[in-house]
Amino acid sequence: MRGVVFDGERAEVVDDLAVRGPGPGEVLVAVSAAGLCHSDLSVVDGTIPFPVPVVLGHEGAGVVEAVGAGVTHVVPGDHVALSTLANCGTCAECDRGRPTMCRQAIGRPGKPFTRAGRPVYQFASNSAFAERTVVRAVQAVRIPEDIPLPSAALIGCAVLTGVGAVLNRARVDHGESVVVIGTGGIGLNVLQGARIAGARRIVAVDADPAKEAVARRFGATHFLTSAEGVREVLPTGADHVFECVGRVELVRQAIDLLDRRGQAVLLGVPPATAEASFLVSSLYLDKSILGCRYGSSRPQRDIALYAGLYRAGRLLLDELVTATYPVEDFGKARAEAEAGRVARAVLTF
């Protein structure tokens, strides 16, 4: 079968992958569409260290093909969106409703794939850049069949991370102010999360002026090409600032833009050894710097919630899909994404 494999030097489309069948508590999914996220590109450029060879992709949707013993919440033929959280469901963090903190869901890559008889790693417990993948049952979330699968694919990362960061981690309240630095796939979802939460002023900051129209479509009330203008819109600072790029100088900007009791939420992914600096005294007025993994999401709950908001016209999905490519055109999709010309490129099978 076809898939995108990174061998440590290059990422390429291959046609000789194989995947095992589902074991107990697992689901085999025929992937229909998968979003190309910058986290996939970060594996290729070394920003995210990961063992190789590995099948890339972690933001997908498809149709259940088979289920293992004990799986009852989905059956063959169901449409599902895939999450990356292979959480155990029984540890203290899962019991508290914090599956993103489950240690079973962090840094334990499996090898369900083979190529020429040799094991191949699975990225983010998902590997959606393959015609078929095996995931834990908790990762497959049933969705209504009237949601287009290329759009549904983006729920599993971009939406869970961006909207989730607003609703679950920052808990933005009605009438508050929000600044979003970077309006790629994650930033756009932070914008619409802020809109859904009822934020009054939502300031998008991106160096590319061509992104203004789409930023406003997703919820921005103001658009700036530099953070230097934020104080003209919010003289005392913002209640919440989301850094969605992953550059340490922008982390500093996010902190400096906070109002009293403000929160800076870090969503961008800089190199693993990157360090950021800030004035300690700038935090004394009850300000906070928050890390956020995967939107602090509970995918079985949140994906169903976001699917419902989409069907009600409150959450945008179709507009996120700025370009679709057959998997054979992965190289072209990657080039467009790296150049920042698309918010989300989607690979189709």
Side-chain angles (χ1 to χ4, degrees):
M1 70 177 185
R2 295 169 298 166
V4 179
V5 175
F6 176 57
D7 63 5
E9 295 184 0
R10 56 184 299 203
E12 62 178 342
V13 180
V14 303
D15 60 7
D16 57 351
L17 271 179
V19 65
R20 63 172 174 78
E26 293 181 332
V27 177
L28 176 67
V29 177
V31 179
S32 296
L36 177 53
C37 174
H38 276 277
S39 292
D40 300 302
L41 302 178
S42 293
V43 174
V44 176
D45 67 20
T47 301
I48 297 178
F50 205 88
V52 295
V54 57
V55 179
L56 296 175
H58 64 284
E59 183 182 65
V63 180
V64 174
E65 195 163 277
V67 300
V71 177
T72 59
H73 75 290
V74 293
V75 298
D78 281 346
H79 287 207
V80 292
L82 301 178
S83 88
T84 68
L85 288 184
N87 58 295
C88 71
T90 59
C91 70
E93 296 295 350
C94 286
D95 190 53
R96 294 186 184 105
R98 301 171 184 165
T100 56
M101 296 297 102
C102 173
R103 283 173 169 78
Q104 295 293 325
I106 301 176
R108 295 174 181 264
K111 298 178 182 178
F113 300 97
T114 56
R115 187 182 181 204
R118 297 180 179 178
V120 179
Y121 283 101
Q122 185 174 39
F123 179 53
S125 301
N126 190 307
S127 289
F129 291 173
E131 289 186 89
R132 290 173 180 79
T133 190
V134 171
V135 298
R136 292 190 61 168
V138 72
Q139 297 176 253
V141 185
R142 187 171 57 194
I143 57 174
E145 293 187 9
D146 59 354
I147 299 180
L149 289 172
S151 299
L154 304 186
I155 300 178
C157 178
V159 177
L160 280 177
T161 300
V163 179
V166 174
L167 302 183
N168 300 328
R169 186 65 170 126
R171 297 180 183 271
V172 172
D173 203 359
H174 187 81
E176 292 187 323
S177 59
V178 171
V179 174
V180 181
I181 301 175
T183 60
I186 300 300
L188 290 177
N189 278 288
V190 174
L191 289 172
Q192 71 171 333
R195 170 177 51 77
I196 291 168
R200 185 165 67 92
R201 283 177 291 183
I202 305 171
V203 183
V205 179
D206 198 293
D208 185 356
K211 294 183 177 181
E212 179 173 1
V214 69
R216 289 185 179 276
R217 176 75 179 90
F218 274 75
T221 60
H222 300 74
F223 183 90
L224 303 171
T225 55
S226 170
E228 294 178 0
V230 170
R231 291 286 181 174
E232 296 180 15
V233 180
L234 304 171
T236 62
D239 295 312
H240 308 273
V241 182
F242 295 82
E243 199 283 328
C244 304
V245 180
R247 288 167 44 190
V248 294
E249 65 271 24
L250 298 182
V251 171
R252 172 61 184 266
Q253 281 189 351
I255 296 167
D256 290 345
L257 289 172
L258 295 177
D259 196 356
R260 298 183 178 191
R261 298 184 67 253
Q263 299 181 138
V265 184
L266 309 186
L267 296 177
V269 182
T273 58
E275 297 182 0
S277 64
F278 59 91
L279 294 175
V280 175
S281 60
S282 70
L283 299 183
Y284 288 154
L285 293 173
D286 287 0
K287 301 178 185 180
S288 305
I289 303 171
L290 304 180
C292 183
R293 180 174 188 245
Y294 204 41
S296 301
S297 296
R298 288 181 278 174
Q300 287 287 338
R301 179 202 69 168
D302 290 350
I303 288 176
L305 170 64
Y306 301 152
L309 289 173
Y310 166 79
R311 298 175 86 197
R314 297 183 60 199
L315 183 136
L316 306 181
L317 286 179
D318 303 335
E319 295 83 350
L320 282 171
V321 183
T322 48
T324 59
Y325 303 84
V327 68
E328 290 82 5
D329 288 342
F330 167 75
K332 181 178 180 181
R334 174 185 171 186
E336 292 292 293
E338 288 178 330
R341 289 190 287 266
V342 293
R344 262 307 189 266
V346 174
L347 302 179
T348 57
F349 292 87

